[in-house]
């Protein structure tokens, strides 16, 4: 039997299922109804402690950042850098439970807006994202830590996106040791 020149057969319908699955995901991303979100009144970023309230009532607050000392078992932290922690609070003022599985948080630093690496530290409970959902009228808070070169802690930018399909992201900017605005 000549098996060397025989075509290899995959599972029947597998390529079709993959194409249909991708097409469905793209259609969902394009046609999913967006939450009633108006762009911010001002194109400038918020400062630490300020709250962005979306038209549907969801509110996001980023507290003043603080220096964080990672444990010896942390990942993402480099010697000579400063780990910086932000507490982010979501308050659900919408008419139904808000699912937090698609919350995304990004950090940048410096005038060039270089991407900061996320720090994970299970010994100190750092690295868990928002999980589950928030009931109407309730809040949830998570701490995000990013690794920043010490020379760049004067120019920080964190972006929080409540749901990557339905909400625009909002930026909060300022230095690590800012004393402007509430915390």
């Amino acid at each position: 039997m000549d098996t060397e020149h025989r075509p290899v057969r995959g599972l029947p319908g597998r390529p079709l299922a993959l194409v249909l699955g991708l097409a469905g995901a793209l259609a969902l991303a394009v046609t999913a109804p967006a939450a009633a979100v108006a762009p911010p009144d001002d194109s400038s970023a918020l400062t630490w402690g300020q709250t962005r309230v979306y038209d549907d009532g969801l509110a996001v607050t980023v507290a003043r950042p603080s220096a964080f000392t990672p444990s010896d078992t942390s990942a993402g932290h480099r010697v000579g850098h400063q780990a910086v922690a932000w507490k982010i609070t979501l308050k659900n003022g919408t008419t139904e439970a808000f699912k937090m599985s698609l919350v995304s948080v990004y950090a940048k630093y410096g005038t060039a807006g270089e991407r900061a690496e996320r720090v994970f530290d299970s010994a100190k409970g750092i690295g868990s994202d928002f999980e589950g959902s928030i009931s109407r009228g309730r809040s949830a808070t998570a701490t995000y830590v990013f690794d920043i070169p010490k020379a760049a802690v004067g120019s920080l930018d964190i972006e929080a996106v409540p749901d990557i399909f339905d909400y625009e992201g909002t930026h909060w900017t300022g230095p690590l040791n800012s004393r402007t605005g509430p915390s």
Side-chain angles (χ1 to χ4, degrees):
M1 183 169 359
D2 181 14
T3 58
E4 193 170 319
H5 299 302
R6 256 195 175 145
V8 178
R9 292 184 178 228
L11 296 174
R14 186 181 216 181
L16 178 60
L18 178 61
V19 169
L20 290 176
L22 289 173
L26 288 173
L28 177 64
V30 172
T31 61
V37 176
D41 297 332
D42 184 359
S43 63
S44 65
L46 301 176
T47 58
W48 314 133
Q50 291 184 317
T51 301
R52 163 78 189 272
V53 180
Y54 291 87
D55 285 350
D56 65 353
L58 183 69
V60 181
T61 305
V62 174
R64 180 180 299 124
S66 60
F68 178 82
T69 304
S71 71
D72 292 338
T73 59
S74 69
H77 177 65
R78 291 182 222 130
V79 175
H81 283 204
Q82 175 63 60
V84 178
W86 284 270
K87 285 190 181 284
I88 299 175
T89 301
L90 302 176
K91 181 172 172 97
N92 185 5
T94 70
T95 59
E96 55 191 42
F98 177 76
K99 294 178 184 146
M100 299 183 293
S101 59
L102 295 177
V103 173
S104 294
V105 177
Y106 311 97
K108 296 183 282 301
Y109 60 86
T111 57
E114 294 188 52
R115 185 184 68 82
E117 181 153 352
R118 183 129 177 237
V119 174
F120 297 90
D121 194 343
S122 60
K124 292 193 173 185
I126 298 299
S128 296
D129 293 334
F130 286 101
E131 297 175 342
S133 63
I134 312 170
S135 299
R136 293 182 315 143
R138 304 296 301 242
S139 297
T141 301
T143 300
Y144 287 79
V145 177
F146 290 91
D147 198 48
I148 311 290
K150 287 184 178 178
V153 297
S155 180
L156 303 174
D157 178 328
I158 192 160
E159 178 184 11
V161 185
D163 179 320
I164 58 173
F165 292 114
D166 295 335
Y167 292 83
E168 293 292 322
T170 300
H171 291 260
W172 284 259
T173 61
L176 171 60
N177 295 319
S178 169
R179 291 293 169 207
T180 59
S183 57

